[in-house]
Amino acid sequence: MPLDTSTYALSLLRLDGRRWNELRRIHAQISTQAAADGSAYLEMGNTKVICTVSGPSEGRRGQGQGGEGGKARIEVEVNLAGFAGVERKKRARGDRRIAELQHTLTQAYTSTLLTHLYPHSTILITLHILSLDGSLLAATLNAATLALIDAGIPMSNYLVACTAGSTSFEESDNADPLLDLNGQEEQELPFVTVGILGDGDKVSVLVMESRVQMSRLETMLVVAVDGCKRVREILDGVVREHGRNMVEGAVG
Amino acid sequence: MAPAATSQVLLSPAELSFLHSSLLLQPPVRPDGRAPNQFRPLVAETDILPGANGSARICFPDGTEAIVGIKAEVEKSQWRANLSEDGAHLGTGGGDVEMEEDGGKPQEEASSHGNGEMSWIELSIEIPGFRDDDPLPIFLAAMLSEGLLAGEELKDRLWINRRFHWKLYIDILLLSPPLSYPLPLLSLTTHLALLSSRIPKLKSEQDEDPLFDDDWEASLYLYPKLPTGKRIDRPPITLLVMAVGSNIIFDPSKEELAVAEAVLAVSVRESQRRENDTSGRRLNLLSIRSVDSPSRLTPSGVPNTMNTATGGSAPVSSQDAVAQRESIDQKGVWNPPRGGVKRALITRIIKLVLEPNGVAQEVMDGLNGVEV
């Protein structure tokens, strides 16, 4: 099903009725699970992710004791539920896409977390994807950030992510950038996932798997970074709200 | 089948002995102060995933959490020989039999009764830290699907016509490490998810290619509701019951499981009721399985008579040690329980579960409150 770009040009509304610079509804919760050291639940539109963090703890036996060089090792496990997509699909453990996602997350958090504070230990981030509708990497990054904050693991700043795309592949002048693509749009359009650290312009994660004209990339990046800043505000609000509730619960 | 490392509790023999003796009292004193047939409070919600036919989430207070998502897909049935002749369902997929025209017989067998097949329901369990082929998930999946497949109703409802049927995928995710034996949690979550599952309403007739009403509001519950809002029947639940001495304890925590003398998994189902039947519910027992108690793996205490430091004599060999332990029964020294369960005890457990206003009914009523 090709995205009807002609309609977009006429009404400037996307398939789900958003304008080009609108995010989907983001809903997040912190401390959803009592058994984990840190946990979070995040919805970006219809993409729903649960993240749990355990650790820093002594690494599992048989895998070497924690990280090397006086730093904590970060392990990421992503589990795509069979019922997440439109059709029921069971993914094997060694799925390439999942492995790549895990690698990206591991790299991102190895540089963001202050791992030198926990030598010889392991931080395990487990992500369950319950429902999948685009922006998978962005949603997992945001959920993991919240869960790590809940676990109280020091990090230099919020690592927040967002996607941005462009309305057409063709070589035309009137291609608009789009913010926060959903699953349908992701299948049709070129898009880039950007993760930034804090509220500056420091890009920490940048993943792009589709082809796009060089001239469009810059606008896409600008839109994505702008989206990240808005996501950061939302997540910051969630963390502060949770903190307020905790303090009020402890006092009264 | 041992729950293995999942419920390994780090308690010393003295602590185990204390736990065991307080559970032996009349009435038993449980570590968290519950009554013997009292369940832990839980948090439950249904219909949490828009992309699934049915879904549910349950959190236990010890932090374990499970999510179940159910998806149904239309699948082509394998043609079975002799189905139209006498209604006998052997269930052997007649792969080598040619597809016959069904003009000879009038369309009398176009009802779903007795046509369901076991393979139409697929259940998979995912537990973090375990592989798919580890014994724990496989054993749990077997126990849960056993209860589901025991009744004909669910299988029959998946029948669309003679050429097509629904295939039901039940995916169970345990989101937390399995702190206590996760069977009751998974069973209750599956129960709720099945209750919330809906399948689209069929618009086509008889053996046409199935065509469905695309209005989700018109969809039908997999476990149909009566006009009064009650269900005709409900999916089974599996309860974990343990015994210490003559005390029967429901919903054991992991500390209690560590001193259990017998652990049983009891599957119960509410039997089908008729439209005008208001005389309360009847409960059916589906299966009982004994679960190998983790208490058998606990370290035993050393009595004074076997301890050289207190003037006893140490046993010569490990066989000797076992023989000596067998002969003495000293209070306050932990000895892992041996042997099986008495029949009378099992009878009492079944009675407690099944009796009117018994434990199973209480759990079902509790789950009723969650419903959508």
Side-chain angles (χ1 to χ4, degrees):
Chain A
M1 190 185 353
L3 182 68
D4 203 344
T5 38
S6 58
T7 342
Y8 178 76
L10 286 174
S11 64
L12 298 182
L13 289 174
R14 293 199 250 164
L15 286 173
D16 47 8
R18 285 183 289 156
R19 293 188 194 284
W20 67 273
N21 62 347
E22 278 178 322
L23 287 170
R24 290 178 286 174
R25 191 182 81 105
I26 295 182
H27 168 76
Q29 268 175 290
I30 285 190
S31 273
T32 50
Q33 194 189 98
D37 293 317
S39 57
Y41 170 71
L42 182 101
E43 283 178 18
M44 284 176 88
N46 274 331
T47 302
K48 304 186 178 190
V49 181
I50 282 187
C51 180
T52 56
V53 171
S54 70
S57 58
E58 204 176 322
R60 284 184 228 163
R61 261 166 285 144
Q63 291 188 358
Q65 296 288 307
E68 285 161 20
K71 286 184 174 179
R73 185 172 62 190
I74 291 161
E75 282 178 24
V76 179
E77 258 178 46
V78 176
N79 170 26
L80 189 56
F83 47 79
V86 176
E87 281 182 358
R88 196 262 183 191
K89 202 187 280 175
K90 193 105 181 109
R91 277 177 197 269
R93 285 262 147 155
D95 189 87
R96 282 291 243 340
R97 267 180 57 85
I98 298 292
E100 200 182 324
L101 192 66
Q102 289 175 347
H103 179 73
T104 313
L105 285 160
T106 311
Q107 290 296 315
Y109 283 107
T110 309
S111 59
T112 308
L113 298 177
L114 306 180
T115 49
H116 63 274
L117 297 174
Y118 303 105
H120 306 293
S121 48
T122 306
I123 298 166
L124 176 67
I125 304 171
T126 315
L127 287 145
H128 293 272
I129 294 138
L130 304 178
S131 175
L132 183 55
D133 186 28
S135 305
L136 176 59
L137 175 59
T140 47
L141 276 166
N142 294 336
T145 299
L146 286 180
L148 285 163
I149 289 172
D150 183 37
I153 294 168
M155 56 206 285
S156 45
N157 211 326
Y158 285 82
L159 176 57
V160 288
C162 192
T163 57
S166 182
T167 43
S168 74
F169 284 99
E170 280 108 57
E171 217 170 311
S172 56
D173 294 329
N174 53 0
D176 284 342
L178 296 174
L179 182 65
D180 192 17
L181 276 68
N182 66 23
Q184 259 183 336
E185 291 168 331
E186 251 182 26
Q187 282 178 357
E188 303 300 327
L189 303 173
F191 70 98
V192 61
T193 305
V194 179
I196 65 166
L197 203 55
D199 48 3
D201 288 336
K202 266 171 107 182
V203 173
S204 161
V205 181
L206 185 67
V207 177
M208 180 152 189
E209 289 163 332
S210 42
R211 283 150 56 105
V212 71
Q213 271 180 293
M214 200 54 207
S215 57
R216 302 232 176 96
L217 187 64
E218 201 182 325
T219 44
M220 280 162 66
L221 276 179
V222 170
V223 168
V225 168
D226 185 52
C228 285
K229 287 180 185 168
R230 275 150 65 189
V231 173
R232 181 187 183 277
E233 270 169 36
I234 295 171
L235 298 192
D236 193 45
V238 170
V239 172
R240 285 179 192 280
E241 177 68 34
H242 178 68
R244 207 174 301 127
N245 289 344
M246 267 173 68
V247 170
E248 277 168 10
V251 172
Chain B
M1 177 58 54
T6 60
S7 36
Q8 203 76 44
V9 197
L10 299 172
L11 291 177
S12 68
E15 287 165 316
L16 289 169
S17 164
F18 173 74
L19 258 176
H20 185 250
S21 54
S22 50
L23 288 178
L24 264 179
L25 295 172
Q26 289 290 351
V29 177
R30 300 176 72 169
D32 44 10
R34 279 184 286 159
N37 57 356
Q38 194 179 354
F39 279 67
R40 291 171 284 185
L42 51 82
V43 179
E45 52 183 338
T46 55
D47 256 336
I48 48 168
L49 304 171
N53 288 66
S55 54
R57 162 175 174 261
I58 289 189
C59 298
F60 269 17
D62 63 353
T64 49
E65 181 182 11
I67 285 188
V68 173
I70 295 179
K71 277 223 168 207
E73 284 176 9
V74 175
E75 212 179 48
K76 225 171 170 147
S77 310
Q78 248 183 335
W79 191 78
R80 288 173 296 166
N82 284 335
L83 181 66
S84 51
E85 252 84 81
D86 51 359
H89 40 285
L90 300 169
T92 52
D96 54 342
V97 187
E98 295 241 330
M99 190 75 168
E100 272 175 35
E101 285 307 309
D102 43 9
K105 278 238 163 193
Q107 303 275 356
E108 58 175 13
E109 68 290 308
S111 79
S112 63
H113 184 71
N115 285 341
E117 277 183 49
M118 289 209 180
S119 60
W120 295 355
I121 300 172
E122 200 178 299
L123 192 136
S124 74
I125 295 187
E126 203 143 323
I127 300 177
F130 285 80
R131 287 156 49 107
D132 293 349
D133 51 357
D134 271 338
L136 181 72
I138 290 181
F139 186 62
L140 286 172
M143 266 204 275
L144 289 175
S145 50
E146 196 176 60
L148 281 178
L149 295 170
E152 289 282 309
E153 292 91 347
L154 178 59
K155 285 182 279 175
D156 288 351
R157 274 176 210 144
L158 300 176
W159 189 85
I160 297 173
N161 57 34
R162 272 182 295 177
R163 289 165 52 219
F164 291 93
H165 63 84
W166 287 106
K167 173 123 188 178
L168 205 65
Y169 295 97
I170 305 176
D171 285 290
I172 304 176
L173 295 183
L174 189 64
L175 296 184
S176 56
L179 293 176
S180 54
Y181 200 58
L183 181 69
L185 172 68
L186 301 184
S187 157
L188 294 185
T189 320
T190 313
H191 177 94
L192 281 181
L194 278 169
L195 276 184
S196 76
S197 330
R198 292 189 277 180
I199 45 177
K201 193 179 178 189
L202 190 68
K203 268 164 78 184
S204 59
E205 288 172 354
Q206 293 183 350
D207 286 350
E208 292 170 1
D209 282 2
L211 183 73
F212 297 100
D213 197 339
D214 53 10
D215 185 4
W216 187 241
E217 290 299 312
S219 60
L220 304 167
Y221 279 100
L222 200 54
Y223 283 84
K225 271 185 180 171
L226 291 175
T228 53
K230 286 185 173 164
R231 306 277 184 165
I232 294 175
D233 63 334
R234 314 178 118 249
I237 52 171
T238 307
L239 302 174
L240 202 62
V241 191
M242 68 171 245
V244 173
S246 61
N247 284 334
I248 296 166
I249 292 169
F250 286 91
D251 190 27
S253 65
K254 73 171 172 176
E255 291 84 12
E256 289 166 332
L257 275 176
V259 295
E261 281 166 18
V263 185
L264 294 179
V266 186
S267 295
V268 192
R269 185 178 51 141
E270 214 172 278
S271 58
Q272 195 149 13
R273 72 170 102 193
R274 272 165 235 105
E275 296 271 346
N276 50 6
D277 185 10
T278 51
S279 64
R281 294 93 54 102
R282 287 213 329 278
L283 290 165
N284 288 7
L285 184 72
L286 293 178
S287 65
I288 299 186
R289 282 215 187 214
S290 67
V291 177
D292 197 2
S293 157
S295 60
R296 297 184 205 282
L297 303 172
T298 50
S300 58
V302 183
N304 282 347
T305 50
M306 285 166 68
N307 189 353
T308 44
T310 51
S313 54
V316 197
S317 63
S318 57
Q319 269 176 333
D320 188 29
V322 172
Q324 280 194 39
R325 277 221 177 88
E326 211 64 48
S327 60
I328 44 171
D329 186 24
Q330 200 177 341
K331 265 206 166 168
V333 180
W334 173 244
N335 218 355
R338 299 146 303 218
V341 203
K342 289 204 175 73
R343 270 195 205 178
L345 190 67
I346 295 187
T347 319
R348 275 184 50 218
I349 290 179
I350 297 174
K351 261 198 190 133
L352 270 180
V353 171
L354 291 183
E355 70 191 355
N357 300 321
V359 176
Q361 214 164 78
E362 196 189 314
V363 174
M364 294 255 190
D365 287 343
L367 291 174
N368 251 342
V370 185
E371 239 177 83
V372 275

